[in-house]
Amino acid sequence: MRATFAILSALTIVSSSLASPHSRQRRSYPLGRRSKSIFISPAALPSLPTVQAVDELDDALNTDNIQSDILVGMKKSQELFYFFKINDAATFKSKMSSDIIALITTTTEILSVDTQPVTAVNLAFSQHGLDTLGVTDDLGDPNFTNGQLSDLTGDLPGPIGDDESTWLPEFTAGTIDGVFLLASDTVDNIDTQLASIQSTLGSSITTLYQIQGAARPGSEAGHEHFGFMDGISQPAVNGFTNPIYPGQTPVDAGLFLVGEASDPNLAARPASGWATDGSFLVFRQLQQLVPEFNEFLTTHPLDQDTLTPEEGSELLGARMVGRWKSGAPIFLTPTQDDPVLAADPTRNNNFDYLDNSTQSNVDNHFNQSQCPFGAHIRKVHPRGDLDPSVENPHFIIRSSIPYGPELTASENATGISANDRGLAFVAYQSDISNGFTFLQNVWINSVGFPFGKYDPTVGVDPIIGTLNGLGAPKNISGLDPAVPDLDQTDVWHDVVLPTDYVISKGGEYFFSPSLNGLAFIAGA
Ligand code: N7H
């Protein structure tokens, strides 16, 4: 077990001969340390483990070597994604060695306020970037190698329904070499850190694009722009998650970290091992048409005797997502929100779709009255609808953050978006074709998944699925819980969504190396 580390004072360089196993603590912080966490802390989200709790695990991961964003999830207060091109590989690598690697925040450091820097810094590279830096090893992930743009036209399955016409030119140019992820509690802190990095790297890089993410204000913190609490459900990572909250599925770290237990592509990784403890970072800018989504809900309330039109609209939104806006899962509370349940992370994720205890006379596993087969969270995590051996390889760790302004009064009044807002979507996995692209293509966009046998027209995911091309109407079954005749199949009323409310603006695939991996790249 690793010993507890002492709190280091800012501006102190402690000799590397100290006994603490957490070597990443032993360095200076030119821009200081903080007294308030980088993270928001909505009650609905499970807490992160302490370093001590990780160390108590027999198979504890080397959190000193893993960049800080990979395992922690969606809790950042402010986060900047700074995409850049490398002009001068030799200078860039030299500055990496002399200055940049010392700035990179480790998982150990992010877990305690005492050790968090003022601004957390992570760094990841595209294949184009690794090529530019002279790294010749194949990382064993063809989606990463080809880049996200090639998914639209290439041979490998990419996000079905995606279309270059909605992509930003910054993502279609195919020139992004890397991305810095800067996280803090204020934009000022982030700007200061970015200016320092830019000054260090000088003309060896060019800024290509930046997107500033932020937790939404006040009581909306943790909610994405449609209004739903996000980041509740993450897999439990063996060797890291401690305690495991009820409903979390423990899976081996190799599903997310290259080279760790159960890495599905171990044999294809670089033989020298430098990629170990790195992870593939899928970035997508997903624009959300919030006033249009709200307008659709308002004008199509589910018609239930006991509900007001407002409640009928709220129920429709909840059934599209699978959770109420509060975060309470509709499978546990199908007809009305339960904010107390929502705020309790020991209960708000504790369910699977096999459980029929809430309506003992109905087999809920094959019945959509409690949760539509096509609800977003059931499509992307079908909790018991499939055998765990089939389901578990497709877990991802989501580390997204909302971007863009709050709705204006005029957008509310017109029902038309006048500002760009959405989700800066980030997912980590060790195999993109098992994680992100599998979820998009095989589950989200399959009309018959899950349970086409019981309802052949489940439909695509009502939040992020596309059918018959971008923006085309899509029929979703099971959203209307009006009690069907259970002796028949496919008796569920279809709800027709007239258009897509989430639009891909593009993205890129990156590799977020370990600290050792960054040192290898700097020396390549
Ligand atoms: Fe989703 N939303 O607000 O509707 N997502 N998602 N997602 N998502 C989840 O359980 C949302 C997107 C997953 O384990 C919640 O933490 C929006 C993509 C997965 O039960 C909400 C967008 C992909 C889960 C949303 C978006 C996923 C999940 C419930 C785009 C993968 C965990 C909160 C703008 C390709 C499911 C929670 C589980 C949950 C929303 C995108 C995947 C509210 C708005 C692109 C795996």
Side-chain angles (χ1 to χ4, degrees), residues 70-138:
I70 298 170
L71 300 169
V72 305
M74 307 172 61
K75 289 168 168 278
K76 273 82 61 182
S77 180
Q78 304 282 334
E79 185 171 15
L80 178 76
F81 300 87
Y82 173 83
F83 301 94
F84 61 92
K85 173 177 162 38
I86 299 168
N87 305 316
D88 174 349
T91 304
F92 183 87
K93 287 193 283 190
S94 151
K95 295 292 182 187
M96 260 180 92
S97 293
S98 58
D99 298 84
I100 300 295
I101 293 176
L103 292 175
I104 304 299
T105 310
T106 68
T107 303
T108 305
E109 288 164 336
I110 207 79
L111 292 181
S112 164
V113 179
D114 297 335
T115 52
Q116 287 178 355
V118 169
T119 300
V121 181
N122 276 208
L123 172 60
F125 297 102
S126 65
Q127 180 67 63
H128 195 270
L130 292 183
D131 292 345
T132 304
L133 293 172
V135 176
T136 52
D137 286 326
D138 182 342

Side-chain angles (χ1 to χ4, degrees), residues 224 226 228-233 286 288 321 323 376-377 380-381 383 396 398 423 425 436 439-440 444 463-464 502:
E224 51 68 60
F226 289 146
F228 295 87
M229 181 60 80
D230 206 355
I232 298 169
S233 178
L286 297 175
Q288 292 176 254
V321 172
R323 290 186 185 270
H376 173 60
I377 66 163
V380 290
H381 180 191
R383 299 176 189 242
I396 53 176
R398 292 170 302 132
L423 194 66
F425 176 82
F436 170 72
L439 293 180
Q440 284 281 151
I444 289 168
I463 300 296
I464 49 172
V502 173

Side-chain angles (χ1 to χ4, degrees), residues 303-304 319 335 359 362 367-370 480-487 491-493:
D303 185 12
Q304 304 269 286
R319 288 179 67 84
T335 53
Q359 290 181 8
V362 176
N367 179 319
Q368 308 191 65
S369 58
Q370 277 185 239
D480 186 344
V483 176
D485 179 347
L486 292 174
D487 293 332
V491 290
W492 299 91
H493 307 173

Side-chain angles (χ1 to χ4, degrees), residues 12 15 25 75 131-132 158 172 278 294 413 443 484 492:
T12 304
S15 156
Q25 305 307 315
K75 289 168 168 278
D131 292 345
T132 304
T172 54
N294 289 344
W443 287 351
W492 299 91

Side-chain angles (χ1 to χ4, degrees), residues 52 61 76 123 156 165 181 203 206 222 236 276 300 345 362 385 404 510:
Q52 290 81 357
L61 292 168
K76 273 82 61 182
L123 172 60
L156 291 166
S165 64
L181 280 57
S203 60
T206 300
T276 294
H300 295 79
V362 176
D385 286 343
F510 297 95

Side-chain angles (χ1 to χ4, degrees), residues 23 27 36 40 42-43 88 93 156 190 311 373 383 400 414 423 434 455-456 470 478 501 511:
S23 57
R27 61 188 168 88
K36 178 174 166 241
I40 54 169
D88 174 349
K93 287 193 283 190
L156 291 166
I190 289 176
E311 289 167 340
F373 294 154
R383 299 176 189 242
S400 320
T414 58
L423 194 66
N434 272 350
D455 182 348
L470 281 188
Y501 298 107
F511 184 65

